[in-house]
Amino acid sequence: MITVRLVQSARRNQTAGWALLGAGALLALMLPWLVYPPIAVDILAWALFAMSIDILFGYAGMLSFGHAAFWGVSAYATGLAAIELGVPFPLAILVGAVSAALVAVPIGLVAVRTHGIYFTMVTLAFAQLIYYIANRWSSLTGGENGLQGIPRDFVGLEWSDPFVYYHAALLIVAIGFWVAWRSVNSPTGQVLVALRANPARVRALGFSVERYRVFAFVLSAFLAGIAGGVYAIGHRMVTLQDLYWTTSGEGIAMAVLGGTATLFGSIVGAALLVLLEDFLATSGIEATGSVTGAVFVLILLFFRGGIWGAVSAALARLRGTSQDDVLERPPPTGPAVPPSNAAEEATTQGSDVK
Amino acid sequence: MSVVIRVSSMPTWGRTVLELRHVSAGYGEATVLHEVSLQVGQGDVVTLIGRNGAGKSTLLRSIMGLHPISSGSIKFLGRDITRLRPHRRARMGLGWVQDDRGIYSSLTVEENLRLPRVIGANAWAEERLFGTFPVLGQRRRQMAGSLSGGEQQMLALARVLRMGADVVLCDEPTEGLAPVIVDQIAEILREVASSGATILLVEQNLRFATTVAHKHFLIAEGHIVDHLDNSDVIARENDLLAHLGI
Amino acid sequence: GGGPTALGDDQAISNGKLTLAVVTDMSGTYSALTGKGSLEAVKMAVDDYQEKYGSDAVAQEIEVLSADHQNEPDIANTKARELFDRQGADAIFDVPSSAAALAVADLAEEFQRIYINVAAGSTDLTGSACNEYTYHWAYDTEMLARGSAATLTQRGEKNWYIVYPDYQFGQDMTAAFTTHIEANGGKVLGTDATPFPNDNFAASMTKALEIKPDVIATMAAGSDLTNFVKQYNEFGLAEAGIELAVGAMFDTDVESIGATQMSGTLYTTDWFWNQDDEAREWADDFKARLDVRPTAVHAGDYSAATQYLEAVQRAGTDDADAVAEELDGHEFEDMFARNARVRSEDHRMIHDSYLTVVKEAKDVQEAFDYTELVETIPADEAFGPPSSSCDLG
Amino acid sequence: MTTFLQASLNGLVSGGFYALLAIGLAVIYGMLRVANFAHGAVYMLGAFGAVILYDMFGTPFWAALVVVPVVIAAGGVVVERTLIRRLVPLDPVYNFLLTFGLALIIQDLVRLNYGVVGQPYAKPAALEGRINFGPLEYPTYQFVVLIASIALTCGVWLALNKTKVGMVVRAATERPSLTEAFGVNVNVWMIPVFAFGVALAALAGVMAAPMRSVNSAMGADIVIILFAVIIIGGMGSVLGAVLAAYLVGFLQELAQMYVPAAAGATTFILMAVVLAVRPSGLLGRQEAAR
Amino acid sequence: MLRTERLVKEFRGFRAVGGKDGVDLAVREGETHALVGPNGAGKTTLFNLLSGALAPSSGRIYLREREVTGLPAHTIARLGVARSFQVSSVFDDRTVRSHVDLTLLAHSSLRTRFLTSVRSLGAFAERTTEVLELVGLGHLGDRRAGDLAYGQKRALELAMVVAADPAVLLLDEPTAGMGTEDIERTIDLIQRIKGGRTIVLVEHNMKVVGMLADTVSVLQAGELIASGTYSDVRSDPRVVDAYLGAHRA
Ligand SMILES: Nc1ncnc2c1ncn2[C@@H]1O[C@H](COP(=O)(O)OP(=O)(O)OP(=O)(O)O)[C@@H](O)[C@H]1O
Ligand SMILES: Nc1ncnc2c1ncn2[C@@H]1O[C@H](COP(=O)(O)OP(=O)(O)OP(=O)(O)O)[C@@H](O)[C@H]1O
Ligand SMILES: [Mg+2]
Ligand SMILES: [Mg+2]
């Protein structure tokens, strides 16, 4: 009886999933008719960026406040590749994303040694360092003026139309979404989620905790890099703003608003905040900070699962079933106090830990 | 569970210090304690016996005020404490040893010991504690989280002794202790009782239970199903094991 | 340029109305300097134009749009694009911060519409990044350096010490100052790069006291400038005989530090509200609308919008090429710009600038009455020659 | 040599100021496990408090020094009770994000009311001028701030180590219900500690008003440095935070003196190096690193 | 099978394991070796050293005569040493099955696949079912681990250890906190899963030790003071004195 219901609900969930995906794809294709195309491009880029943060925070439990570094490094690398080497933009974006991943390796190696709020601040510190370097190295980065007029060439087509570019960006970002979704729902993803709950246990099972953490970090940086590259080509410019910590904050806000550990919530969060920012720019409302801040506070206090979490919980309640699709995910609230073995982890983490 | 013996009024041994009337409690929708009533007299050493998940710890937490009860009332020293905050109950003379030891890992051993409020005249002085548990004395400046499992258990007990509570609620104080220490703990509990304090003990180790306590409540699935004295327990040991899985 | 054409109004003006847009910082660092005031200044220019020409106006219907870029260049980029692309903006004004200004300049070229920069100081806009549709109306780093560095050195302040925030603007200013100091026989005894933002200048003060220059120049702006001046006074540099010159300063800065602390500070500006009756009259209008005194940027926006509208009037159309042709080489005089000419080579609008000093506190009559003229720098000397990296013919 | 001495003194003063700001943050995190991103905003409110009191009532600096921290701490307690408390059982990053949102709101509200331009605030006349130390001369006010900071730091350290406060509050944070069961009224201990941490930030703000630009963004960037400071020191440790504050102040000043190009990055380089060697900071207790 | 040579672990000068000369422990292949001793004797610390969770201050550890001193925990785990934890350490929000799947994953090449579907874990289904049947959790595979009863959690803990198919099992107080009935079930379980493996067991319950152990080693203050069969050790006066207490001898 119970099994039957589970199977049915799984099947129903699967159909629902496909339906949702189809609707999402349709919406994505129609987006540039609904909003101004450059804004649509922004939504794509920010969505992937927020998702890259969510992979780390929502699944592996590592909140990075330094993702601006990867977004920005990739944006600059993308821009330079396009300007200086004249490579077509998809390739330039790849160059950017790879650069971001490369930068993430040493940062990751240091950062994964720390946990919780320490990790958050270490990533922030490195990002600030990169910001200073970019500012100083103005011969390369254009300093405060930034890189301007990044070309958008590819197989001789007319890409300068943001409407056309949107579709190219959609393809690239969709690949990024797919990689994110796939890796979260992969064996490795399972290890990451388990690791967040109880690292000592996972280590004793035979997984190298640090290696998984670094991997997640670099993968996330790569995705953030794709996002930064798409954004740079979209705006045809890169500025120091892209490396500043507020950029990380914005990405986190989107991930949290959409719902952490939901992946696709990031898209919702990004869309809402980009549209909100766009609206505020011409609305005459000057209280931009208050609005963003209030969004943060309300979400954290009342819908810790974010919009996606709240909606899917409501749907689940309507359908009256299925804990199975929630099961393998970490709870959106994250573990309160690290569970039972934390004490053991702490002692085994002593000064003489390898 | 075959028989459920409903007990409406429990016998007392001496002046009643703690009295529970029809206490029910649960987690979310699930009720874990069903109308539990019991009385404990001054100087008694009483155990609560029941298998894992029977609700023993929940009962102790409810008495301490750390778990909300959905109905019923609790009286302590003749006063209704049902609505009292935990720290007020503690100051009236209730002490509690948590089942998972409840060690403050961010405090040293010494700080762990100094934290509780000294309440009664029977409070143990620090020297006496270190005399009884010399290993804690040796480790007084160590962070308590890095103590061995058994050392943590000793610390948990030592902390409550420092309070000098009139009634000590003790949740599995012998878990993970070496046999020689278990004997020592039995000794200590007897000593505490002889100084006039009352002990309500949760214990799975029947042998230990019978060496320290005179009376035993059997609890199963949240019901108090029986109350026995030592001779009953020893006589019915096999029966108890079979039925209750203790 | 050609005179008014014989076309009827409805065809001369695209979509039947003229659209001016102000892309500015309403909520970020530059919002006091630009922001609402910039928008208001452009609206005042429109009102004055309509009053002046009445039914003769080429543009009968004029709309003023604005966008708040929150001091983020990418928002500026998107908003400016949308304004040109979707909202039919014929010209964009203001745009603080050089990254944002450069982005808008790029768009002006892409969409072939007019952009008149007022708020950003980068000379790149009339140098390597110049284009046919972009104009630079008010101060730039070169102007600020010429006014303060060249003039003061000529007046005998030979030894300089320069403290600058370590980013493009600070570096550009320092380079320009150094050039003019040395060209006039002065010497830069040292420069000191500081982080940005920064609230602690103790090290710079210590070094300056050690070196004992005639002038300490700071390129800090906004709150950094406030911190710098407070510490300049605390560490007793004034008493040690070291004068203070500020690279870029506005009345708002004086207001935030207090005239007492600032008096005697030298700086260059291309306009201040009580420089003469005409300026004062306009400033009174402005105050009546927004209850504050205008900054030089606000006045610049007014002038830019006015001259743009005049050019449209002369061209008889809002077609950007025709308007640009009217603007190029145009000589004029208005409330903001004296002895003014729009250079056709690089689209730099040159006009008189002023070396000024902050009044003694006792001479201050009312709020924002802080500035006293020291010397007028004639338009031809006030700005650098056209850059070799820009040739608009 | 004099330059070096002067630079050292600069470093000390700057470190002292960081220490003043960082201890509040360290106390709140170390004892209550709240990573308060709004600490910078509170600092800014402190400075504005002084300005507003002066503008409205002509309140002198010395009175502001007392009134402002008290008022702001009271506000802090309300926020703690109504908002922050709810997230305390979760991972500290949740309160970090919540206070990040609060900081945005506070800053924005101040900006909407007072604009971005700095507010003038005069130094108390008694503290004008400079003190002479043989070859060195130092602004009196800054020197007084240093002394005040040292005194406060020592006071806090004594209060936490010579009384039960530190111990009880740490215990109450780790296991609130058990601590109640030991007869400790947890709120009686925790509320004042939170209030005290907030008050320290506000106090630093009042002290900053005469010497720093008072504007809505003044706390926005400094809070990042402060987090770096308490992380270098080890987030559980108040003593570590103070040491790190002086270390950071000192290095920044020396860098500004001898390698200005690196001055802005020193703190972050220091932090990266320290954490690479000791993941829980200089004096951090191991379990704090979790 | 598992051997230590002069093994020492110090915490800030305090020697938790090692005594005077370091610990020389030898565990023969296929035996069940119980480690008993007073609280704080260093048993858990020794476990931490053997499993690589802590690095020794000095001395060496050999696994099948191969030196494993200082190797990280996950490497030692993959070499065939699996440990259980003194306090149950399950993932509350995961299903029972997925605990076993995860263990199997650690020993499979799938563990580094990040672009493969989780469904690939289906490959483990059969083995997982087998392991769960073995520990008596066969019917609870889809239950959330956090909802399990105490004894069941201990069984799951064992399932994770067994699934790895380790050569050596390190079990830290597997019956702590259990009632008599659960203890008996656990003893039974350990006997069932044993099948030729080497087991090192820490226990305070002498009944359990008596029933399971081939060899008993006694640790006191970090030092190995006795080693032998259960009955030998039980009557050793030093052991009686330090550990058992007079009246139990
Ligand atoms: N936090 C909780 N949430 C939900 N259910 C709980 C919680 N804590 C305990 N329970 C359930 O309540 C019941 C009683 O638990 P309790 O801890 O009181 O049992 P116990 O008799 O102390 O068992 P043990 O001997 O294992 O300590 C159990 O079925 C348990 O699963
Ligand atoms: N990180 C540490 N720092 C300092 N001392 C420690 C640390 N970890 C353990 N110790 C000490 O080492 C000794 C051995 O501890 P261990 O946990 O190995 O004991 P055990 O034999 O397992 O005891 P039990 O039977 O009580 O679990 C204890 O006295 C403990 O206090
Ligand atoms: Mg229990
Ligand atoms: Mg142990």
Side-chain angles (χ1 to χ4, degrees):
Chain A
M1 180 56 203
I2 289 170
T3 34
V4 171
R5 220 184 69 188
L6 278 179
V7 168
Q8 273 180 350
S9 92
R11 209 170 282 149
R12 228 188 308 160
N13 279 341
Q14 209 166 36
T15 352
W18 283 112
L20 204 62
L21 193 67
L26 197 67
L27 188 65
L29 287 170
M30 280 167 38
L31 194 60
W33 276 277
L34 302 175
V35 302
Y36 186 49
I39 299 281
V41 173
D42 283 4
I43 291 177
L44 288 180
W46 283 111
L48 184 57
F49 184 58
M51 204 180 278
S52 78
I53 288 173
D54 189 28
I55 290 183
L56 266 191
F57 179 41
Y59 292 85
M62 302 146 80
L63 176 63
S64 164
F65 223 107
H67 258 45
F70 310 125
W71 163 278
V73 162
S74 167
Y76 276 107
T78 303
L80 288 170
I83 295 173
E84 305 292 335
L85 309 176
V87 300
F89 74 84
L91 197 59
I93 292 172
L94 187 66
V95 170
V98 169
S99 316
L102 289 178
V103 169
V105 173
I107 298 180
L109 285 174
V110 175
V112 300
R113 292 164 46 95
T114 62
H115 300 263
I117 201 83
Y118 277 73
F119 177 85
T120 305
M121 300 315 292
V122 177
T123 47
L124 172 60
F126 276 109
Q128 286 297 87
L129 206 55
I130 290 175
Y131 173 82
Y132 278 107
I133 292 171
N135 180 30
R136 292 278 319 157
W137 199 354
S138 52
S139 56
L140 189 74
T141 61
E144 203 223 353
N145 291 350
L147 297 178
Q148 304 272 356
I150 298 171
R152 206 191 268 162
D153 300 330
F154 186 45
V155 295
L157 278 167
E158 181 48 66
W159 295 94
S160 66
D161 184 353
F163 186 81
V164 181
Y165 175 68
Y166 171 83
H167 291 95
L170 179 61
L171 187 67
I172 297 172
V173 168
I175 294 173
F177 287 166
W178 180 79
V179 171
W181 176 78
R182 208 28 322 148
S183 37
V184 160
N185 292 293
S186 73
T188 303
Q190 294 295 295
V191 179
L192 288 175
V193 173
L195 195 158
R196 160 193 181 148
N198 193 342
R201 197 357 136 200
V202 171
R203 188 171 295 145
L205 288 179
F207 296 102
S208 164
V209 166
E210 279 70 28
R211 222 171 288 166
Y212 277 89
R213 285 214 170 108
V214 172
F215 171 77
F217 191 69
V218 172
L219 177 74
S220 167
F222 180 80
L223 294 175
I226 296 181
V230 166
Y231 192 77
I233 299 284
H235 281 262
R236 314 190 64 170
M237 68 173 194
V238 189
T239 62
L240 283 173
Q241 178 75 39
D242 292 317
L243 282 171
Y244 203 54
W245 64 265
T246 46
T247 299
S248 306
E250 210 159 325
I252 294 171
M254 290 165 178
V256 169
L257 172 62
T260 51
T262 60
L263 226 46
F264 295 102
S266 293
I267 303 178
V268 179
L272 284 178
L273 280 196
V274 168
L275 292 174
L276 178 68
E277 195 169 68
D278 182 57
F279 165 74
L280 289 176
T282 40
S283 65
I285 298 171
E286 285 172 35
T288 44
S290 306
V291 174
T292 327
V295 165
F296 247 99
V297 171
L298 293 177
I299 288 285
L300 284 167
L301 286 178
F302 301 114
F303 313 97
R304 226 155 293 139
I307 293 174
W308 190 275
V311 169
S312 60
L315 285 181
R317 222 173 305 125
L318 272 183
R319 269 186 274 144
T321 46
S322 78
Q323 41 167 210
D324 51 343
D325 61 337
V326 209
L327 244 185
E328 298 302 319
R329 278 199 202 120
T333 46
V337 206
S340 46
N341 258 81
E344 220 139 334
E345 172 81 353
T347 38
T348 56
Q349 289 248 324
S351 45
D352 34 13
V353 171
K354 337 160 247 173
Chain B
M1 251 313 302
S2 46
V3 218
V4 177
I5 311 165
R6 295 288 239 108
V7 189
S8 50
S9 100
M10 309 291 297
T12 35
W13 300 271
R15 186 173 69 97
T16 301
V17 286
L18 184 66
E19 182 178 2
L20 273 65
R21 277 179 183 277
H22 308 294
V23 168
S24 297
Y27 298 90
E29 312 247 292
T31 306
V32 169
L33 295 177
H34 304 270
E35 307 237 332
V36 170
S37 300
L38 57 82
Q39 294 177 4
V40 184
Q42 181 164 22
D44 287 343
V45 180
V46 185
T47 61
L48 274 174
I49 306 181
R51 65 188 306 167
N52 292 121
K56 307 180 293 292
S57 302
T58 308
L59 184 58
L60 293 199
R61 296 180 68 88
S62 303
I63 297 173
M64 201 60 231
L66 298 168
H67 188 81
I69 60 175
S70 46
S71 65
S73 68
I74 304 173
K75 257 188 176 165
F76 179 53
L77 299 177
R79 179 173 163 198
D80 188 343
I81 58 166
T82 314
R83 312 216 172 284
L84 232 46
R85 294 260 308 277
H87 69 270
R88 314 254 6 142
R89 302 186 194 202
R91 289 179 196 180
M92 285 178 67
L94 266 179
W96 177 59
V97 178
Q98 195 174 340
D99 50 355
D100 74 345
R101 298 164 187 155
I103 293 305
Y104 297 107
S105 57
S106 62
L107 265 52
T108 62
V109 170
E110 199 163 47
E111 287 173 325
N112 262 279
L113 279 175
R114 289 193 180 155
L115 184 79
R117 225 168 205 261
V118 174
I119 295 160
N122 295 331
W124 290 36
E126 212 159 276
E127 303 80 65
R128 184 170 171 201
L129 290 173
F130 288 147
T132 310
F133 302 103
V135 65
L136 295 182
Q138 289 155 23
R139 307 237 169 290
R140 61 203 297 167
R141 304 217 188 286
Q142 185 175 321
M143 298 308 286
S146 63
L147 289 178
S148 87
E151 288 164 352
Q152 293 189 359
Q153 191 68 64
M154 293 179 222
L155 178 58
L157 190 65
R159 274 193 316 208
V160 88
L161 294 178
R162 212 182 105 77
M163 291 175 73
D166 294 331
V167 173
V168 180
L169 311 171
C170 222
D171 204 340
E172 309 204 29
T174 62
E175 188 197 316
L177 288 179
V180 58
I181 309 284
V182 173
D183 294 346
Q184 198 190 338
I185 301 250
E187 193 62 44
I188 292 168
L189 291 180
R190 280 193 292 266
E191 203 178 319
V192 170
S194 69
S195 69
T198 306
I199 297 172
L200 181 54
L201 187 70
V202 166
E203 193 48 65
Q204 310 236 16
N205 181 337
L206 275 190
R207 186 150 310 145
F208 177 81
T210 50
T211 58
V212 293
H214 338 290
K215 299 284 167 187
H216 312 271
F217 290 105
L218 294 191
I219 179 168
E221 293 177 1
H223 301 276
I224 299 278
V225 293
D226 206 349
H227 50 97
L228 315 161
D229 57 24
N230 270 345
S231 50
D232 292 337
V233 173
I234 293 163
R236 288 176 55 189
E237 182 169 352
N238 289 331
D239 174 48
L240 287 177
L241 289 179
H243 276 104
L244 296 169
I246 339 162
Chain C
T5 48
L7 294 167
D9 287 347
D10 47 338
Q11 286 144 315
I13 300 296
S14 54
N15 353 312
K17 69 179 172 198
L18 190 62
T19 306
L20 311 192
V22 181
V23 176
T24 188
D25 177 8
M26 298 275 190
S27 45
T29 328
Y30 299 106
S31 53
L33 188 58
T34 62
K36 275 197 275 250
S38 296
L39 176 59
E40 203 58 39
V42 169
K43 285 182 178 161
M44 287 168 77
V46 170
D47 292 349
D48 290 350
Y49 166 81
Q50 284 172 329
E51 194 180 323
K52 179 172 171 192
Y53 291 101
S55 57
D56 293 335
V58 172
Q60 281 300 321
E61 199 185 334
I62 305 179
E63 171 187 46
V64 181
L65 301 176
S66 75
D68 173 14
H69 73 34
Q70 299 156 37
N71 200 22
E72 292 193 27
D74 34 20
I75 300 185
N77 178 331
T78 309
K79 282 289 126 188
R81 174 180 286 278
E82 197 171 0
L83 283 165
F84 280 144
D85 189 13
R86 292 281 167 103
Q87 274 146 329
D90 295 293
I92 288 180
F93 299 88
D94 208 37
V95 199
S97 107
S98 48
L102 287 164
V104 176
D106 248 16
L107 291 168
E109 187 172 21
E110 183 181 331
F111 286 92
Q112 307 191 344
R113 306 274 173 79
I114 302 292
Y115 163 44
I116 305 185
N117 163 57
V118 181
S122 171
T123 49
D124 286 355
L125 288 161
T126 51
S128 54
C130 75
N131 67 55
E132 287 171 63
Y133 302 96
T134 299
Y135 291 83
H136 196 150
W137 214 253
Y139 79 100
D140 64 24
T141 50
E142 178 69 17
M143 177 205 101
L144 296 171
R146 281 172 175 251
S148 301
T151 319
L152 282 173
T153 314
Q154 285 158 12
R155 290 163 68 99
E157 317 278 11
K158 294 291 182 201
N159 295 321
W160 290 67
Y161 184 69
I162 305 179
V163 183
Y164 64 97
D166 204 358
Y167 68 105
Q168 196 75 41
F169 172 81
Q171 291 154 1
D172 288 355
M173 287 288 283
T174 305
F177 264 63
T178 307
T179 310
H180 291 290
I181 290 164
E182 287 171 355
N184 289 286
K187 224 168 41 213
V188 177
L189 301 180
T191 61
D192 193 15
T194 60
F196 170 74
N198 185 27
D199 56 12
N200 185 353
F201 292 93
S204 307
M205 299 305 158
T206 304
K207 286 193 232 181
L209 283 168
E210 184 88 356
I211 296 176
K212 293 236 173 350
D214 300 328
V215 189
I216 185 170
T218 176
M219 307 307 161
S223 67
D224 283 18
L225 175 61
T226 311
N227 288 321
F228 188 93
V229 175
K230 284 189 173 184
Q231 286 161 41
Y232 165 86
N233 287 317
E234 274 194 320
F235 278 81
L237 270 69
E239 285 139 67
I242 303 170
E243 281 197 80
L244 175 63
V246 176
M249 192 162 83
F250 299 89
D251 289 344
T252 45
D253 296 316
V254 186
E255 174 76 8
S256 84
I257 309 169
T260 342
Q261 297 230 30
M262 286 301 281
S263 60
T265 304
L266 294 151
Y267 68 106
T268 301
T269 185
D270 49 357
W271 187 82
F272 52 102
W273 70 269
N274 55 358
Q275 66 182 35
D276 54 31
D277 290 340
E278 206 181 341
R280 246 189 309 274
E281 191 187 324
W282 184 76
D284 288 342
D285 274 1
F286 187 91
K287 185 157 189 242
R289 288 169 173 241
L290 285 186
D291 204 33
V292 286
R293 288 297 181 190
T295 64
V297 172
H298 298 148
D301 278 311
Y302 175 83
S303 165
T306 304
Q307 295 309 323
Y308 172 79
L309 292 168
E310 293 287 352
V312 170
Q313 186 70 19
R314 289 196 299 281
T317 170
D318 63 355
D319 176 72
D321 290 298
V323 174
E325 203 168 318
E326 282 304 324
L327 280 172
D328 286 353
H330 184 59
E331 292 183 10
F332 67 97
E333 190 94 13
D334 66 14
M335 175 281 293
F336 169 76
R338 299 299 152 81
N339 303 313
R341 177 165 64 88
V342 182
R343 283 201 304 231
S344 49
E345 302 94 309
D346 62 351
H347 287 188
R348 166 78 256 176
M349 191 277 278
I350 59 170
H351 50 285
D352 290 355
S353 75
Y354 313 99
L355 178 66
T356 60
V357 66
V358 178
K359 283 182 184 172
E360 290 291 320
K362 61 177 165 39
D363 300 333
V364 173
Q365 310 285 329
E366 58 171 302
F368 285 94
D369 171 30
Y370 303 125
T371 316
E372 211 163 59
L373 181 66
V374 177
E375 192 168 328
T376 301
I377 300 129
D380 287 331
E381 290 163 32
F383 293 86
S387 154
S388 56
S389 52
C390 172
D391 184 18
L392 301 173
Chain D
M1 195 56 207
T2 332
T3 321
F4 180 77
L5 283 179
Q6 184 81 39
S8 308
L9 193 53
N10 289 344
L12 212 57
V13 169
S14 148
F17 193 64
Y18 281 140
L20 191 59
L21 274 163
I23 38 178
L25 197 59
V27 163
I28 291 179
Y29 183 81
M31 317 236 128
L32 308 172
R33 287 284 174 272
V34 174
N36 181 16
F37 198 91
H39 201 70
V42 174
Y43 159 70
M44 177 270 290
L45 282 181
F48 265 90
V51 170
I52 294 168
L53 280 186
Y54 181 80
D55 287 353
M56 285 174 50
F57 310 109
T59 315
F61 175 78
W62 304 105
L65 225 36
V66 178
V67 175
V68 172
V70 169
V71 171
I72 292 180
V77 168
V78 172
V79 171
E80 199 268 350
R81 287 287 109 183
T82 51
L83 308 176
I84 293 175
R85 188 104 304 260
R86 295 159 176 245
L87 299 185
V88 163
L90 307 177
D91 190 305
V93 298
Y94 284 92
N95 255 324
F96 176 78
L97 293 175
L98 178 81
T99 49
F100 177 69
L102 289 176
L104 288 180
I105 297 176
I106 296 172
Q107 262 164 41
D108 204 49
L109 291 180
V110 172
R111 180 186 61 78
L112 288 172
N113 282 301
Y114 296 92
V116 293
V117 172
Q119 306 289 318
Y121 191 78
K123 218 176 284 177
L127 301 181
E128 289 282 2
R130 287 173 298 284
I131 310 183
N132 238 310
F133 305 95
L136 299 182
E137 225 190 18
Y138 218 80
T140 312
Y141 186 80
Q142 298 220 11
F143 195 75
V144 168
V145 169
L146 173 64
I147 301 297
S149 150
I150 293 175
L152 268 168
T153 314
C154 292
V156 171
W157 192 82
L158 284 178
L160 293 181
N161 286 279
K162 298 293 160 201
T163 70
K164 277 174 67 172
V165 181
M167 180 181 108
V168 174
V169 175
R170 260 181 292 143
T173 304
E174 191 180 334
R175 295 177 180 273
S177 56
L178 176 64
T179 310
E180 291 235 310
F182 283 136
V184 175
N185 189 353
V186 169
N187 288 342
V188 163
W189 293 82
M190 301 191 55
I191 295 177
V193 168
F194 188 84
F196 181 67
V198 170
L200 279 177
L203 182 70
V206 178
M207 290 199 193
M211 60 175 187
R212 302 275 156 101
S213 169
V214 180
N215 65 74
S216 59
M218 68 189 281
D221 284 286
I222 206 164
V223 71
I224 306 263
I225 301 271
L226 293 179
F227 266 106
V229 165
I230 67 167
I231 278 185
I232 291 169
M235 277 186 88
S237 164
V238 171
L239 190 62
V242 172
L243 281 184
Y246 282 99
L247 194 62
V248 163
F250 218 75
L251 282 182
Q252 274 185 354
E253 284 304 317
L254 288 190
Q256 186 61 48
M257 193 60 84
Y258 300 108
V259 260
T266 32
T267 314
F268 300 110
I269 295 173
L270 178 68
M271 175 166 159
V273 171
V274 166
L275 288 179
V277 181
R278 287 186 61 94
S280 52
L282 292 177
L283 299 184
R285 285 170 165 169
Q286 212 48 61
E287 64 276 356
R290 196 150 57 223
Chain E
M1 183 74 194
L2 190 61
R3 191 162 64 75
T4 70
E5 243 174 40
R6 306 185 140 238
L7 197 62
V8 172
K9 178 66 191 178
E10 289 187 347
F11 296 107
R12 297 201 191 108
F14 166 69
R15 203 167 261 217
V17 167
K20 275 197 300 294
D21 307 318
V23 167
D24 292 326
L25 179 77
V27 180
R28 273 174 293 118
E29 174 137 26
E31 75 169 341
T32 300
H33 195 125
L35 212 51
V36 301
N39 298 112
K43 303 177 297 293
T44 301
T45 308
L46 184 57
F47 258 40
N48 283 337
L49 296 173
L50 295 177
S51 65
L54 287 176
S57 310
S58 68
R60 292 158 192 280
I61 305 170
Y62 297 90
L63 176 65
R64 288 205 168 98
E65 291 312 310
R66 170 181 170 186
E67 182 167 355
V68 295
T69 324
L71 291 182
H74 61 93
T75 311
I76 292 186
R78 257 186 260 143
L79 288 173
V81 179
R83 76 172 291 187
S84 76
F85 286 78
Q86 191 166 350
V87 184
S88 282
S89 166
V90 297
F91 305 100
D92 282 355
D93 290 306
R94 299 176 75 87
T95 60
V96 168
R97 287 194 77 86
S98 77
H99 281 73
V100 181
D101 286 344
L102 202 60
T103 315
L104 294 171
L105 179 64
H107 296 267
S108 122
S109 63
L110 280 178
R111 71 173 184 277
T112 53
R113 303 283 170 81
F114 73 101
L115 290 180
T116 312
S117 164
V118 251
R119 297 218 183 85
S120 61
L121 296 183
F124 303 139
E126 207 172 311
R127 172 82 183 127
T128 301
T129 311
E130 209 177 290
V131 170
L132 290 178
E133 293 292 346
L134 183 65
V135 301
L137 292 176
H139 57 299
L140 294 174
D142 294 319
R143 186 73 74 80
R144 182 177 166 275
D147 295 341
L148 291 181
Y150 186 87
Q152 293 165 333
K153 278 189 191 164
R154 300 302 300 184
L156 179 55
E157 185 80 29
L158 283 176
M160 280 192 281
V161 171
V162 181
D165 195 14
V168 181
L169 279 75
L170 307 177
L171 306 178
D172 199 351
E173 305 201 27
T175 66
M178 283 188 185
T180 320
E181 191 194 35
D182 281 328
I183 292 179
E184 269 158 24
R185 234 196 326 238
T186 307
I187 293 174
D188 187 49
L189 179 56
I190 293 174
Q191 274 162 346
R192 248 184 305 139
I193 62 177
K194 183 165 186 337
R197 295 177 229 267
T198 310
I199 296 181
V200 186
L201 176 76
V202 169
E203 253 308 333
H204 284 301
N205 186 327
M206 292 316 280
K207 207 163 100 196
V208 178
V209 173
M211 288 181 70
L212 286 174
D214 303 314
T215 314
V216 179
S217 289
V218 184
L219 212 58
Q220 192 207 341
E223 200 160 8
L224 211 55
I225 57 165
S227 196
T229 64
Y230 176 65
S231 47
D232 287 352
V233 169
R234 227 195 130 92
S235 49
D236 186 318
R238 284 178 304 173
V239 178
V240 172
D241 196 39
Y243 182 63
L244 293 172
H247 71 277
R248 309 206 186 210

